């Protein structure tokens, strides 16, 4: 049994709801585009501003905002990842052959690593792990933007 066949029972339930085709086709890209470009940019910007600020108050304010938005972004991306998988299956597309699927999976893995680093308090506030978190976060943003471009290409091709 392949991955799409595994998800087909769930996808068929959503297909039976009679959602309009434009919602099935473009709902995921629209919602995730908002999350990636609005929340992702805000998370990255506040994280780097907090890191680069020389004033303690400015740094603290940016880190506080970063800590508030980042978990929500991760939650929305996780839900969107699931929705994207179901959207592809609902449209009878091969999930594992899609570069968009693979970049989405990489984003989820990178964000999971980010979360572990953060939730562990960087294993004793080690500055080297904070640096890894910062640069891995920047890399994750670039992968998210690539993911969005691949998603647009996918959406226009099906």
């Amino acid at each position: 049994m392949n991955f799409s066949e595994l998800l087909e029972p769930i996808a068929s339930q959503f297909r039976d709801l009679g959602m309009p085709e434009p919602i099935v086709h473009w709902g995921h890209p629209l919602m995730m585009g908002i999350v990636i470009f609005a929340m992702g940019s805000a998370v990255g910007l506040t994280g780097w501003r907090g890191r680069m600020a020389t004033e303690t108050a400015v740094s603290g304010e940016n880190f506080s905002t970063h800590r508030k938005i980042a978990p929500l972004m991760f939650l929305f991306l996780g839900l969107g990842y699931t929705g994207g998988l179901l959207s592809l299956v609902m449209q009878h597309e091969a999930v594992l052959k899609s570069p968009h699927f693979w970049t989405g999976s990489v984003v989820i893995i990178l964000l999971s690593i980010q979360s572990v680093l953060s939730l562990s308090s960087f294993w004793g506030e080690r500055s080297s792990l904070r640096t890894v978190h910062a640069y891995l976060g920047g890399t994750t943003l670039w992968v998210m933007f690539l993911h969005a471009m691949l998603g647009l290409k996918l959406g226009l091709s099906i």
Side-chain angles (χ1 to χ4, degrees), residues 33-99:
I34 292 168
V35 172
I36 286 173
F37 289 102
M39 292 183 90
S41 297
V43 168
L45 187 61
T46 57
W48 277 100
R49 278 186 180 164
R51 184 174 176 78
M52 303 306 286
T54 54
E55 296 177 30
T56 306
V58 172
S59 178
E61 182 179 327
N62 278 286
F63 281 142
S64 175
T65 302
H66 179 79
R67 282 189 295 270
K68 290 174 187 169
I69 301 171
L72 291 172
M73 181 194 74
F74 187 31
L75 172 66
F76 293 148
L77 286 174
L79 293 171
Y81 179 85
T82 305
L85 289 174
L86 290 173
S87 177
L88 282 175
V89 176
M90 287 171 69
Q91 297 174 80
H92 303 288
E93 292 294 320
V95 173
L96 296 178
K97 292 183 181 179
S98 168

Side-chain angles (χ1 to χ4, degrees), residues 3 24 30 41 45 51 60 66 111 123 144:
F3 197 60
V24 173
L30 177 64
S41 297
L45 187 61
R51 184 174 176 78
H66 179 79
L111 288 174
W123 277 284
M144 285 169 43

Side-chain angles (χ1 to χ4, degrees), residues 108-136:
I108 296 298
I109 290 167
L110 291 174
L111 288 174
S112 296
I113 294 167
Q114 294 287 82
S115 297
V116 167
L117 287 172
S118 178
L119 291 171
S120 73
S121 297
F122 305 98
W123 277 284
E125 294 296 325
R126 292 188 178 135
S127 64
S128 60
L129 292 178
R130 283 190 173 276
T131 300
V132 167
H133 179 81
Y135 285 98
L136 191 58

